[in-house]
Amino acid sequence: MTATPAVHTIKQVLSTTGCGLGDAVEVRGWIRTRRDSKAGLSFLQVHDGSCFDSLQVVAPGDLPNYADDVQRLTTGCSVVCRGVLVESRGKGQSVEMQATEVNPVGWVEDPDTYPVPAKRHTFEYLRDVAHLRVRTNTFSAIARVRHCLAQAVHRYYHEHGFYWVHTPIVTGSDCEGAGEMFRVSTLDLENLPRDPSGQIDFSQDFFGRETNLTVSGQLNVESYCLALSKVYTFGPTFRAENSNTSRHLAEFWMIEPEIAFANLDDDADLAEDFLKYIFRALLEELPDDMGFFRDRIDATCIDRLEAFVESSFERMDYTDAITLLEKAVAGGHTFDFPVRWGIDLQSEHERWLTETHVGRPVVVMNYPRDIKAFYMRQNDDGRTVAAMDVLAPGIGEIIGGAQREERLDVLDARIAEMGLDAEDYGWYRDLRKYGTVPHAGFGLGFERTIAYATGMANVRDVIPFPRTPRSAAF
RNA sequence: UCCCCUGUAGCUCAAUUGGUAGAGCGAGCGGCUGUUAACCGCUAGGUUGCUGGUUCGAGUCCAGCCGGGGGAGCCA
């Protein structure tokens, strides 16, 4: 009576960790391809998501269910395989399983209609079958990269003394900045309650007020920063902007650290150190997946990340960036949008700075106050604020951050100047009344980070189930 | 929201000045093979996104609608 073989992941089997050649093991997964040999055996490529590579399972023709089961296996079927690990006699893998049992678990009922057969597909098509696209090489690799980077984010902050703060998903609308938001309501859309003046009566809504999905955890995380010193959020955020680009999602994940007793330079230091840390982790932990992206998606992605973690970010003042752009124009370069001090940098300007002029990430700092948000700290020159954007080649703005205005009188003046109602910012102003300190933070778009790291061209393909205008299937 | 491109077999694409809708891949069957982007043969598979218009005749031209992609703006 042979003992039941121990269950192993394909990652363990291929790296012979916890098992070795000659061991009897069990693996569980899905068929990628089946190749029959009339020598009387079949080769099954089995993947289970534990690593990039699949395991070659050699099913001999004398298995009792060879004709009834093994030869009917098609791409997508799930199986439990038992057998002995042996050195492969073929090329393409060093270890394979000589199977003693191949047990189908779930069949593909009609191989002709299986949405992801073993052939090339466009990413556009695969978005229509997002529930199955993760069975492909590309999307399982993306899932592992996403996990790796998310773990690295938490590890970095944990190791550096930051606390992860769970800021709310549903927020009162008062303290949010500009930008379209998704309303959260339990009111009956067919029969909205009205007050005497005919306005919708939100006092009858679930929260007794207007509420929306968060567009940023920043304001909330500032409050925790001013008690815990170093904090961050990492969670979903929602923008109802009708943005149709390869860089925007209606639902995306954002990382927002906030540090107390800190200025804009500290903020830029943090951004640089943090990004290098997570990319270094990715290069070290997922060489196989990154190798796939290099070979099939973007030949330069590994070189780019290696250069990224080795070189220092270029830092320049907005004013100097404008001067550089003006010199480029004087030298014959043409932009669609004119360059002058005071404009917000257009995508073409940012691309020129990071791709053409510098060739690596650039931190642009100290923007004109008139084009930035009310909470950004005013500089002594009276015309700029301590804001920064990190621009990366190929993806554009990846980080937006600022030192926050910690002086109540200056903040109030700014609120009034922008036509906002100070009453709406009561709790936020309290943070300046009671033990205020200089503090700063930034927001990093997680999907843009993944796209940058892998060379994937569209953020819709680096999140499992993308939400975009007119698209929320699954 | 604006500009451009686009919609033909399960998927990726052909189809000349408007004139009988094709191929590759995938799938099924057979052959061959310790195979691995396999290879060879056969077979199945289509109201050409929808609605209307022009025409003897529309995949092709026109209008509207719907979907997809790229860019811009906004931003992360």
Side-chain angles (χ1 to χ4, degrees):
Chain A
M1 201 73 174
T2 51
T4 302
V7 177
H8 283 79
T9 65
I10 289 169
K11 181 180 185 180
Q12 291 174 315
V13 167
L14 293 179
S15 60
T16 59
T17 53
C19 58
L21 291 176
D23 288 358
V25 300
E26 174 178 316
V27 298
R28 303 159 168 180
W30 292 263
I31 300 291
R32 184 151 281 148
T33 62
R34 187 194 87 227
R35 295 180 296 274
D36 294 333
S37 168
K38 278 299 185 297
L41 66 163
S42 292
F43 299 93
L44 308 173
Q45 289 302 137
V46 178
H47 68 97
D48 69 355
S50 61
C51 59
F52 179 80
D53 288 316
S54 52
L55 174 67
Q56 174 158 284
V57 173
V58 182
D62 57 7
L63 289 178
N65 64 340
Y66 185 74
D68 289 343
D69 288 340
V70 174
Q71 289 200 297
R72 289 175 51 225
L73 287 172
T74 59
T75 303
C77 291
S78 51
V79 290
V80 173
C81 300
R82 291 173 173 174
V84 179
L85 299 183
V86 298
E87 205 168 319
S88 179
R89 288 161 57 187
K91 299 188 176 76
Q93 62 280 318
S94 55
V95 178
E96 66 188 19
M97 172 188 280
Q98 185 68 35
T100 54
E101 288 181 51
V102 174
N103 298 311
V105 176
W107 293 97
V108 168
E109 51 180 57
D110 179 4
D112 197 30
T113 62
Y114 183 58
V116 284
K119 74 178 290 289
R120 288 188 176 281
H121 296 98
T122 60
F123 292 143
E124 292 79 11
Y125 166 73
L126 289 170
R127 274 171 221 152
D128 291 336
V129 289
H131 58 310
L132 295 169
R133 67 177 181 171
V134 69
R135 298 184 182 197
T136 65
N137 278 332
T138 301
F139 286 91
S140 64
I142 287 288
R144 284 183 294 274
V145 168
R146 192 177 170 101
H147 171 83
C148 174
L149 286 171
Q151 291 294 322
V153 166
H154 287 304
R155 200 164 59 244
Y156 175 86
Y157 287 123
H158 180 68
E159 289 173 358
H160 289 77
F162 287 67
Y163 295 111
W164 181 19
V165 178
H166 302 127
T167 51
I169 305 298
V170 176
T171 66
S173 59
D174 291 350
C175 287
E176 301 289 342
E180 293 298 312
M181 292 183 284
F182 290 100
R183 168 154 291 149
V184 174
S185 175
T186 56
L187 292 177
D188 179 5
L189 289 175
E190 305 287 331
N191 186 22
L192 291 169
R194 303 279 177 173
D195 65 18
S197 64
Q199 299 296 309
I200 298 169
D201 182 7
F202 286 103
S203 72
Q204 294 186 41
D205 206 345
F206 184 88
F207 294 106
R209 60 179 297 162
E210 288 187 68
T211 49
N212 297 285
L213 294 178
T214 184
V215 296
S216 165
Q218 182 204 313
L219 301 185
N220 291 290
V221 90
E222 279 187 53
S223 95
Y224 267 59
C225 177
L226 296 192
L228 300 176
S229 300
K230 293 195 284 189
V231 298
Y232 71 105
T233 72
F234 185 5
T237 48
F238 307 87
R239 306 268 171 100
E241 305 284 353
N242 190 10
S243 297
N244 293 288
T245 82
S246 59
R247 303 178 307 283
H248 289 84
L249 292 164
E251 177 182 296
F252 65 101
W253 286 60
M254 190 154 62
I255 297 146
E256 295 174 288
E258 194 76 24
I259 46 179
F261 304 97
N263 61 25
L264 189 64
D265 286 323
D266 299 321
D267 205 26
D269 288 343
L270 174 64
E272 181 170 350
D273 192 49
F274 163 70
L275 284 173
K276 288 179 176 176
Y277 179 97
I278 63 172
F279 288 148
R280 197 176 293 120
L282 177 61
L283 289 169
E284 288 172 3
E285 294 169 26
L286 294 180
D288 291 351
D289 290 300
M290 290 306 296
F292 169 79
F293 287 112
R294 178 199 56 215
D295 295 341
R296 296 299 186 88
I297 304 293
D298 176 2
T300 66
C301 65
I302 289 181
D303 290 343
R304 186 171 63 234
L305 287 186
E306 287 177 341
F308 190 105
V309 301
E310 293 303 324
S311 61
S312 63
F313 288 15
E314 180 84 9
R315 297 189 194 188
M316 65 176 70
D317 262 23
Y318 166 89
T319 299
D320 296 329
I322 291 293
T323 302
L324 285 168
L325 289 161
E326 286 174 337
K327 281 181 182 170
V329 171
H333 193 90
T334 56
F335 293 111
D336 291 337
F337 290 85
V339 177
R340 61 175 170 75
W341 198 95
I343 62 161
D344 205 357
L345 295 180
Q346 302 292 317
S347 291
E348 57 175 344
H349 303 145
E350 295 179 341
R351 275 202 306 275
W352 182 86
L353 284 170
T354 188
E355 293 170 7
T356 306
H357 182 69
V358 177
R360 60 178 199 280
V362 177
V363 188
V364 180
M365 308 169 81
N366 299 310
Y367 282 79
R369 65 193 288 274
D370 292 340
I371 58 172
K372 287 295 181 180
F374 75 93
Y375 54 75
M376 296 182 176
R377 191 180 195 278
Q378 291 203 45
N379 290 323
D380 292 340
D381 62 14
R383 63 175 196 161
T384 62
V385 291
M388 66 160 191
D389 283 351
V390 178
L391 313 177
I395 193 79
E397 183 182 339
I398 194 170
I399 278 180
Q403 184 175 344
R404 320 306 186 187
E405 183 55 74
E406 85 281 12
R407 300 161 295 189
L408 184 61
D409 55 335
V410 181
L411 181 69
D412 280 346
R414 190 77 177 122
I415 287 174
E417 182 184 337
M418 297 185 76
L420 304 171
D421 186 350
E423 300 237 332
D424 291 341
Y425 298 88
W427 70 262
Y428 191 70
R429 292 174 67 252
D430 274 359
L431 302 175
R432 278 72 181 165
K433 284 189 201 171
Y434 309 124
T436 191
V437 297
H439 61 290
F442 62 79
L444 171 70
F446 192 47
E447 285 72 23
R448 289 185 184 178
T449 307
I450 299 168
Y452 177 74
T454 58
M456 292 292 288
N458 195 317
V459 290
R460 291 166 200 162
D461 298 323
V462 301
I463 190 169
F465 299 102
R467 274 82 177 91
T468 53
R470 297 180 306 281
S471 177
F474 309 101

